[in-house]
Amino acid sequence: MSMTILIADDETEIADLIELHLEKEGYRCLKAADGQEAIAVCDAHVIDLAILDIMMPKHDGYEVTRQIREKHHFPIIFLSAKTSDLDKIAGLVRGADDYVTKPFNPMELVARVNAQLRRSKQFNQSTQTARPVLEAGGLFIYPEERTVFLYGQPIELTPKEFDILHLLARHPKKVFSSEHIFEQVWRETYYEGSNTVMVHIRSLRKKLEEDVHKTKRIKTVWGVGYSFHG
């Protein structure tokens, strides 16, 4: 089955040119003329890679990327007339995997698409082999290796942070009290007034970039405890 690529660009000629070259490579292409349409396409279809213009109507490429990253972890290539190093860095920091400047060589873009899809395939194969306990919205947890990846990037957790995340993720939406978490992770008797769990949860949320991605993976149930929502 051929892979599906989203091309989001309000310049029809550019989108058609990219589609022509990608279809010669055997890819299936879906096109969007603005950011809102691009998001709708991602929600309605299984996408393997997206090529996004930055300056689009309704939602720019940055906002489209933010919304995509809330649900998906496929590669994103920015296509932009902005050519400075700062623009490129800004694009990569905001979640893109590659950055191509206009005007561009279509064959170079195809080569970059092929490279990103190869990397994505290798990553997916490695995650399948390792049998993650959880894959939810770009978050991968590997209990045997005690490693965590967020959108393909490794997240450095302390042993206790990993144990807390692993405990919560094994039971999505189940609410765990601080006492239960403490006794399961530290294997000691919980004592009143301890804020150890709260401090570790706060650090864990920061490392999972909940503020950056506008997600709430670990929710606080006031007066009860914490629960995991992928």
Side-chain angles (χ1 to χ4, degrees), residues 158-174:
T158 67
K160 298 303 184 191
E161 288 169 351
F162 179 89
D163 289 341
I164 292 172
L165 179 61
H166 188 200
L167 172 65
L168 297 177
R170 289 204 317 268
H171 308 279
K173 298 185 179 180
K174 179 179 178 180

Side-chain angles (χ1 to χ4, degrees), residues 143-191:
E144 293 183 5
E145 295 84 357
R146 294 181 63 84
T147 55
V148 177
F149 286 79
L150 183 64
Y151 303 128
Q153 299 301 316
I155 305 298
E156 298 295 330
L157 301 181
T158 67
K160 298 303 184 191
E161 288 169 351
F162 179 89
D163 289 341
I164 292 172
L165 179 61
H166 188 200
L167 172 65
L168 297 177
R170 289 204 317 268
H171 308 279
K173 298 185 179 180
K174 179 179 178 180
V175 180
F176 288 84
S177 67
S178 294
E179 178 179 357
H180 191 167
I181 295 172
F182 186 90
E183 292 180 349
Q184 288 289 314
V185 172
W186 276 264
R187 301 193 180 281
E188 298 176 9
T189 302
Y190 181 80
Y191 55 93

Side-chain angles (χ1 to χ4, degrees), residues 97 112 114-124:
D97 298 278
R112 289 174 182 262
N114 291 336
Q116 289 297 330
L117 288 172
R118 278 197 304 272
R119 293 191 190 107
S120 178
K121 182 178 180 181
Q122 290 169 356
F123 175 74
N124 289 334

